């Protein structure tokens, strides 16, 4: 028997500190918390003393002669090709005990200096449990912060990447017990987990993995060792009996004892689990027995024999196990004594049956078990200890209290007995009632963050769906899934993946139960089913933009489902719930602010914000997304893969390489200073990359003309390719990963053999300018290239000859090319905004050019059958085309907030993946995705500027689509038609105080004034600037307009006459970036690239005093008080300054995120002293696309996060927030 003290010792051992300080992992860009310090440990329980194993047993030939000995030998193997071993066999044959013994073996611990970590799954486990077990291993080794970071991930691959980074080069043994391909864990799970074997970098040492499984469908790895029942009788078996039962030598020689031992051994048929339960039962009886101990053996045998009558085959160890478990319960029942009255109608049999509600290999907190048993904690603890003593449960303790666990076969017994009596459903229903006590299930949602208040709460949250479903609580389950509070808690606790699976299962159940669609509709189930699925998708899309703050999560959920309020009563209730329970302050979306949950956007991968230079994406036939992106001015490339199950993995490859030697004049090397030697050396930077997921290879091109082949698993360079005389601009790989093609600034195309690193044939020359794009046919026999010389060329790799003439027709440089699998068709995208399809054999264009993009086409791809083409553009949109008809398939796929660098398409053409410089990769459903209607009724280009009217009732927006639009703040609806007339993108807008007039400026160098009510332009365009206009502003009465331009001048205009007022206001020595006008139109303020602020008198055309200087960076924001006496300026130096114009002095210096608060405080307060003494009028500000609330204790909470917003503005007085988000104008209200 394992005592409570022994269990506590196990826990203490798991966290004993020894080892070294953790080193930074080179494969992840996430910085570790400095508080984490690696501590080697053995994370595994000890076997009970009565368990008898022989890890070092050898036969006459010197080879291991027991299952456990053979398993140990496999783990200690020095074969580098072997990553470990797998123990197989039926349940109860001793696999788990063997794994525990190996974990504590001296030889094992001598070899694995990084520690041994045992994790348990079970047949009821899912990916969530696997992730939690991995996190526990990291935490046990000192990685508290690392484990917390892992728990934030909902995808297994990301978790494994984080875990591998934590253990880094340490040599560890990872043991995973009882693995099954169930509940989202696929048959290849062992291969996926094998990434952990790569933690050690030394060629002579390697981390290992040890598994156990009973699942024949699982694809096994490493050496297989099969466990079988032990010998029925023999010296080893008798020795095991004596050890486990605690018998003394005298008993061993007693004839009655020998007979009992023989009978028990025979009936247990060598099954270790049955033997263990039997011997612990004998020990319990011996300890109680008042007469001769040998009589206890006879008594036990009689008791077991009575129960054996229930079994069909006493010679079968598994049948005997039932009798043995019944005997254990009889022993406890017979010893209840004084506890019988206290337990009332509860017997040990009933208590044990109640545990049928547990998951296999899972543990249940005693604090919840005692509620199920209707006992106080002390009595429940006593009963659990008694059941632990006879092998019915496994009881252990940690800092959270006591935990109960059962062997899988013992659990099967409990289920079987429950079904015979009251049924398992009764117990599930009872547990559901227990979980709903007190504040109910929704009380769990009140705690912020991922950490539960206690073990009970955590268990209830993780098992809610299973318990309610099995307990037949259908209505409660449906209502729970339709609660925004519950979905919020799911996101906070990192359970989105599990929630999604539960909703899918629930939807399937309702559909099957409901029958026809009409019946579902009549009963209202259709609406609830749709709302559940909508919330599930909203949760998935929200995760990349959510922290743990409730207000921020509610903003995301509300914004993604609000458009369905008119159609769904369930959605309306969800929105009402959010409005009621969202903590204040809360930002409520009025217009569309985030991507809809039911739109064409299926999935979004958000990368760490880096300055990316190139993004490459791909999609294989299984729907798996992969790709890589190159960071500006760095030698780093980050590779990502996302499986069809949405598990995402990222690996960062970085290394500093000296520039390869070139001929004089070929390349101007970049020179840097070594931090170590202080000497100057030439360093090369990555320029482009391509990823072959099948091989796990990345080929990276560099600015010194070299290419390098990286292994993502080993995170190291395997070989280099040299030949180009100038920067490599593009690279691609054949489908089988055997060949690479590259294009360079030297105008050549070269093909390489991946295995040898040798160039295949001569360089392919013919282009007369930089080669910007290359692609290779599926069989690697043909290559296509696109160049700045506006031509497309096809090459035969074997002969090195060009196939036919150059394909010409584009009027701009060719940015992207692709070729069909058979090499017969080519698609090209160009700076001229068109996409063209070519027949390689004839050299003719197939159909007309595909026209629709409004900016350069950066990437193209083709479906497997060549019937569809997808294109991505600088205009931020993705478009799909039918090759035969030349027509666009559906509307443009919009959502990216920066240019689209790369696109790929599934083989059947139904899904598209796109990568953008907005640091996201998005997956789109071409066929079935519901059209995002309202999102297209509005701007079709980026929203560059937004402004509000004086009363904050209207918003005006200007876009790169050349239009100006006005919106109602209350409804989010567009007011009237678009205001059109500009011939280039609109980059700045402003509105009069009453909201009746709008002024806009454009890249066409003009300024235009509009009447909002009529939609007509007021007068002619205001023309006079000699370069693009950057900023405009309007007087309060709408009669005058001021504009600032790249021509360094400021101009004032009379709206009625269209005439310029006076001469241009000149004085700035840099571009004018921002302008503003006093309420009466008499004074103007301007901010410039020259770091200065200047105030002008409109009537005289003179500058008021000297320039206001103090900023150390360009001034891109200015505002002025009604009387023109105070000015606020914001700069790239991240500061905000308040100026006294008359005295030319600084009144206040603040942070740039406090811009709106500062302007409100200093420009709208008559008394400067009052404004200076006043505290912050609001603790809300904008930072990096987020609306942040600073609490009284100094902590901060993100209330809303937008996807790359432009011109984000907060009006604190009226609680209105506006911003441009891609093609949308986001209007929000602050609820306080």
């Amino acid at each position: 028997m394992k005592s409570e003290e022994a269990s506590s010792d196990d826990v203490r051992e798991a966290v004993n500190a020894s080892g070294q300080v953790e080193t930074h992992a080179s494969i992840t860009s996430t910085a570790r918390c400095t508080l984490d310090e690696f501590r080697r440990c053995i994370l595994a329980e000890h076997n009970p003393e009565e368990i008898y194993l022989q890890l070092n047993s050898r036969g006459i030939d010197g080879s291991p002669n027991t299952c456990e000995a053979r398993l140990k030998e496999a783990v200690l193997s020095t074969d580098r090709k072997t990553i470990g071993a797998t123990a197989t066999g039926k349940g109860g044959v001793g696999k788990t005990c063997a794994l525990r013994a190996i974990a504590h073996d001296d030889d094992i611990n001598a070899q694995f200096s990084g520690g041994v970590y045992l994790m348990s799954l079970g047949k009821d486990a899912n990916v969530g449990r696997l992730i939690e077990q991995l996190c526990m291993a990291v935490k046990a080794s000192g990685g508290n912060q690392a484990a917390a970071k892992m728990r934030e991930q909902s995808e297994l691959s990301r978790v494994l990447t984080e875990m591998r980074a934590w253990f880094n080069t340490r040599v560890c043994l990872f043991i995973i017990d009882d693995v099954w391909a169930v509940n989202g864990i696929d048959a290849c799970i062992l291969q996926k987990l094998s990434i952990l074997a790569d933690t050690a970098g030394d060629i002579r040492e390697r981390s290992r993995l040890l598994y156990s499984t009973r699942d024949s469908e699982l694809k096994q790895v490493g050496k297989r060792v099969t466990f079988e029942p032990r010998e029925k009788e023999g010296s080893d078996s008798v020795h095991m009996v004596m050890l486990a039962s605690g018998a003394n030598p005298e008993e061993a020689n007693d004839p009655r004892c020998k007979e009992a031992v023989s009978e028990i051994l025979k009936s247990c048929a060598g099954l270790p689990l049955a033997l263990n339960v039997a011997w612990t039962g004998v020990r319990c009886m011996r300890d109680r027995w008042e007469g001769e101990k040998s009589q206890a053996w006879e008594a036990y045998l009689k008791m077991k024999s009575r129960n054996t009558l229930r079994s069909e085959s006493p010679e079968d160890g598994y049948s005997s196990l039932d009798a043995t478990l019944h005997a254990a319960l009889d022993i406890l029942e017979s010893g209840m004594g004084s506890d019988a009255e206290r337990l009332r109608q509860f017997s040990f049999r009933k208590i044990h049956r109640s545990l049928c509600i547990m998951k296999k290999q899972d543990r249940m907190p005693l604090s919840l078990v005692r509620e199920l048993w209707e006992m106080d904690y002390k009595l429940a603890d006593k009963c659990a200890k008694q059941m632990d003593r006879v092998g019915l449960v496994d009881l252990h303790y940690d800092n959270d209290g006591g935990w109960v666990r059962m062997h899988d076969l013992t659990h099967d017994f409990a289920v079987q007995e429950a079904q015979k009596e009251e049924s398992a459903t009764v117990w599930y229903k009872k547990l559901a009632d227990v979980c709903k006590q007190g504040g109910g299930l929704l009380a769990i949602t009140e705690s912020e963050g991922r950490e539960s208040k206690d073990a009970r709460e955590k268990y209830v949250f993780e098992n809610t769906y299973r318990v309610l479903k099995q307990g037949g609580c259908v209505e409660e389950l449906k209502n729970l899934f339709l609660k925004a509070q519950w979905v919020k808690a799911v996101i906070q606790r990192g359970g989105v993946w599990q929630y999604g699976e539960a909703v899918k299962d629930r939807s399937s159940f309702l559909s099957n139960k409901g029958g026809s669609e009409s019946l579902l509709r009549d009963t209202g189930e259709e609406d609830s089913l749709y709302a559940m699925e909508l919330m599930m998708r909203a949760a998935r899309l929200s995760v990349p933009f959510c922290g743990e703050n409730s207000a921020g999560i509610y903003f995301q959920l509300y914004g993604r489902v609000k458009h369905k309020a008119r159609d769904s009563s369930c959605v309306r209730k969800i929105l009402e719930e959010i409005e009621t329970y969202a903590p204040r302050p809360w930002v409520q979306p009025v217009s569309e602010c985030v991507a809809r949950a039911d739109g064409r956007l299926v999935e979004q991968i958000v990368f760490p914000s880096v300055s990316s230079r190139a993004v490459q994406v791909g999609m294989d036939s299984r729907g798996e997304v992969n790709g890589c992106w190159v960071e500006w001015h760095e030698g780093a490339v980050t590779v990502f893969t996302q499986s069809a199950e949405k598990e995402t993995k990222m690996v960062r490859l970085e290394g500093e390489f000296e520039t390869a030697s070139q001929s004089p004049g070929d390349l101007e090397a970049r020179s840097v200073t070594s931090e170590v030697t202080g000497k100057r050396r030439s360093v090369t930077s990555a320029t482009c990359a391509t990823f072959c997921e099948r091989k796990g290879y990345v080929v990276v091109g560099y600015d010194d003309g070299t290419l390098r082949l990286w292994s993502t698993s080993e995170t190291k360079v395997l070989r280099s390719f040299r030949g180009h005389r100038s920067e490599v601009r593009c690279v691609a790989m054949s489908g089988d990963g055997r060949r690479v093609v590259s294009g360079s600034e030297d105008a050549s195309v070269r093909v390489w053999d991946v295995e040898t690193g040798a160039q295949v044939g001569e360089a392919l020359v013919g282009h007369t300018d930089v080669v910007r794009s290359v692609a290779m046919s599926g069989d690697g026999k043909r290559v296509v290239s696109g160049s700045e010389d506006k031509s497309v060329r096809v090459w035969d790799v074997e002969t090195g000859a060009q196939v036919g003439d150059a394909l010409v027709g584009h009027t701009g440089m060719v940015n992207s090319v692709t070729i069909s699998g058979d090499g017969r068709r080519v698609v090209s995208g160009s700076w001229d905004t068109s996409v063209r399809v070519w027949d390689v054999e004839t050299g003719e264009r197939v159909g007309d050019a595909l026209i629709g993009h409004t900016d350069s086409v950066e990437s193209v791809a083709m479906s497997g059958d060549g019937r569809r083409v997808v294109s991505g553009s600088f205009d931020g949109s993705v478009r799909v085309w039918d090759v035969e008809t030349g027509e666009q398939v559906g509307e443009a796929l919009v959502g990216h907030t920066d240019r689209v660098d790369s696109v790929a398409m599934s083989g059947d053409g139904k899904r598209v993946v796109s990568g953008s410089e907005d640091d996201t990769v998005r997956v789109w459903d071409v066929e079935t995705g519901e059209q995002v209607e309202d999102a297209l009724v509005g701007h079709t280009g980026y929203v560059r500027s937004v402004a509000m009217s004086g009363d904050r009732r209207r918003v005006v927006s200007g876009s790169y689509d050349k239009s100006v639009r006005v919106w109602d703040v209350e409804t989010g609806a567009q007011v009237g038609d678009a205001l059109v007339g500009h011939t280039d993108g609109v980059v700045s807008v402003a509105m009069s105080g009453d909201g009746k007039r709008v002024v806009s400026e454009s890249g066409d160098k003009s300024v235009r004034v509009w009447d909002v009510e009529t939609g007509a332009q007021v007068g002619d365009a205001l023309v006079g600037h000699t370069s693009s206009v950057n900023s405009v502003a309007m007087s309060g009465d709408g009669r005058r307009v001021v504009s600032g331009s790249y021509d360094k001048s400021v101009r004032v205009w009379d709206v009625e006459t269209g005439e310029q007022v006076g001469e241009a206001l000149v004085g700035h020595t840099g571009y004018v970036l921002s302008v503003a006008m006093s309420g009466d139109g008499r004074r103007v303020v301007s901010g410039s690239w020259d770091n200065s602020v200047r105030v002008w008198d409109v009537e005289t055309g003179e500058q008021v005093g000297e320039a206001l200087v103090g900023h150390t960076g360009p001034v891109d924001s200015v505002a002025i008080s009604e009387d023109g006496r105070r000015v606020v300026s914001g700069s790239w130096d991240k500061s905000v300054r308040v100026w006294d114009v008359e005295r030319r002095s600084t009144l206040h210096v603040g942070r740039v995120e406090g811009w709106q608060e500062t302007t409100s405080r200093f420009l709208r307060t008559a008394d400067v002293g009052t404004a200076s003494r006043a505290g912050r009028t609001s603790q809300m500000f904008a930072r990096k696309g987020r609306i942040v609330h600073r609490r009284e204790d100094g902590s901060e909470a993100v209330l809303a996060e937008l996807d790359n917003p432009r011109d984000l503005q907060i009006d604190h007085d009226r609680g209105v927030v506006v911003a441009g988000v891609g093609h949308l104008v986001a209007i929000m209200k602050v609820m306080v």
Side-chain angles (χ1 to χ4, degrees), residues 779-808:
D779 56 13
K781 292 182 178 180
R782 283 188 172 181
V783 163
V784 59
S785 56
S787 167
E788 289 188 10
D789 65 11
K790 307 175 186 177
S791 75
V792 177
R793 296 173 189 261
V794 182
W795 313 86
D796 186 295
V797 174
E798 301 303 323
T799 66
Q802 185 173 308
V803 179
D805 295 328
L807 309 176
V808 294

Side-chain angles (χ1 to χ4, degrees), residues 139-151:
K139 186 175 182 179
S141 60
N144 292 315
Q145 299 296 331
K149 176 70 176 176
M150 288 165 62
R151 287 191 177 96

Side-chain angles (χ1 to χ4, degrees), residues 245-246 282-290 293 296 389:
S245 63
V282 170
R283 176 183 287 237
C284 184
M285 291 193 68
R286 286 182 67 262
D287 291 345
R288 289 186 193 167
W289 203 262
E290 296 180 355
K293 299 297 183 183
R389 190 178 182 192

Side-chain angles (χ1 to χ4, degrees), residues 601-644:
L601 184 61
V602 177
E603 192 75 19
Q604 187 166 350
I605 304 170
V606 179
F607 303 122
S609 182
V610 296
S611 183
S612 298
R613 179 167 186 171
V615 183
Q616 180 251 340
V617 294
M619 178 183 286
D620 66 15
S621 59
R622 297 168 296 176
E624 296 191 357
V625 175
N626 58 69
C628 50
W629 81 91
V630 181
E631 296 177 24
W632 278 101
H633 309 305
E634 298 288 342
V637 174
T638 300
V639 182
F640 68 91
T641 56
Q642 185 187 68
S643 69

